[in-house]
Amino acid sequence: MANFGLILSEAAGEAHAAPTAFGMDATVWVSIAMLVFLGILVWKGVPGAIAAMLDKRIAEISKQLNEAEQLRLDAESLKAEYEVKLAAAAKEADDMRARAASEADTLVAKAKADATALIGRRKQMAEDRIAAAEATALSEVRAATAKAATAAAAALIAEKHDAAADKALVDQAIAGVAKG
């Protein structure tokens, strides 16, 4: 109860004496308890366990950083490889475009040459047909002219030639045979 009275007297604002045990106040006892606690921790190897745990965690983090660095290097090499492949694909596409344009130009030139040759052949065939038609028409005209001339000559001879003219022609022919 003495302590209870001491507490009451403090509440009343009276001056009081600090409690002590074995001549040491509470601050010294807390310091001693802390030193004993830290000593027990050191004696049981807690700092070593903490250091080992921290070392393990540091090694784990270092391993993860090394793995991350390796992944970054792998990713960069893949990126470089795909950039090379992309450049090769772009060059191949350009080459294909150039070949296609060249082939198209060749095909157009061949088509023009073929068309020109076809036009020339068709023109020659048309000219040959025209010449054949002209030759046929000319021979038909000559035949018709000869037929008309023969008919006209026969008509003239029949009209102007009678039996007396025939007798004179026969006599001339006989006289020409006899002389000869």
Side-chain angles (χ1 to χ4, degrees):
M1 283 258 187
N3 284 340
F4 183 73
L6 186 60
I7 293 174
L8 286 177
S9 65
E10 281 182 28
E14 297 174 7
H16 64 286
T20 60
F22 302 111
M24 295 185 271
D25 64 354
T27 306
V28 174
W29 283 110
V30 169
S31 297
I32 291 171
M34 195 66 176
L35 285 174
V36 169
F37 176 72
L38 291 175
I40 292 171
L41 288 178
V42 169
W43 178 62
K44 290 292 186 176
V46 172
I50 291 174
M53 182 181 66
L54 289 176
D55 287 343
K56 183 180 173 187
R57 183 70 181 139
I58 288 169
E60 207 176 288
I61 290 172
S62 177
K63 181 181 171 188
Q64 289 175 352
L65 285 174
N66 289 338
E67 288 175 358
E69 180 66 19
Q70 186 61 39
L71 287 173
R72 185 184 65 78
L73 291 174
D74 290 346
E76 286 179 357
S77 74
L78 279 175
K79 179 184 174 193
E81 181 181 333
Y82 281 111
E83 285 175 347
V84 167
K85 285 182 180 180
L86 179 64
K91 184 181 182 309
E92 186 177 341
D94 289 342
D95 291 346
M96 288 174 72
R97 251 187 253 118
R99 278 194 309 270
S102 173
E103 288 176 10
D105 291 343
T106 303
L107 288 174
V108 166
K110 185 177 184 293
K112 284 181 181 178
D114 290 348
T116 303
L118 179 64
I119 290 170
R121 284 193 306 270
R122 295 273 172 105
K123 181 178 176 184
Q124 186 61 43
M125 286 172 51
E127 288 174 356
D128 291 347
R129 284 184 193 157
I130 291 171
E134 286 176 352
T136 303
L138 186 58
S139 67
E140 288 175 359
V141 167
R142 283 184 182 157
T145 305
K147 193 176 185 182
T150 305
L156 282 175
I157 289 173
E159 190 180 298
K160 299 223 176 184
H161 207 54
D162 55 4
D166 279 342
K167 184 171 178 353
L169 277 175
V170 171
D171 288 342
Q172 279 179 355
I174 293 174
V177 171
K179 285 184 186 176

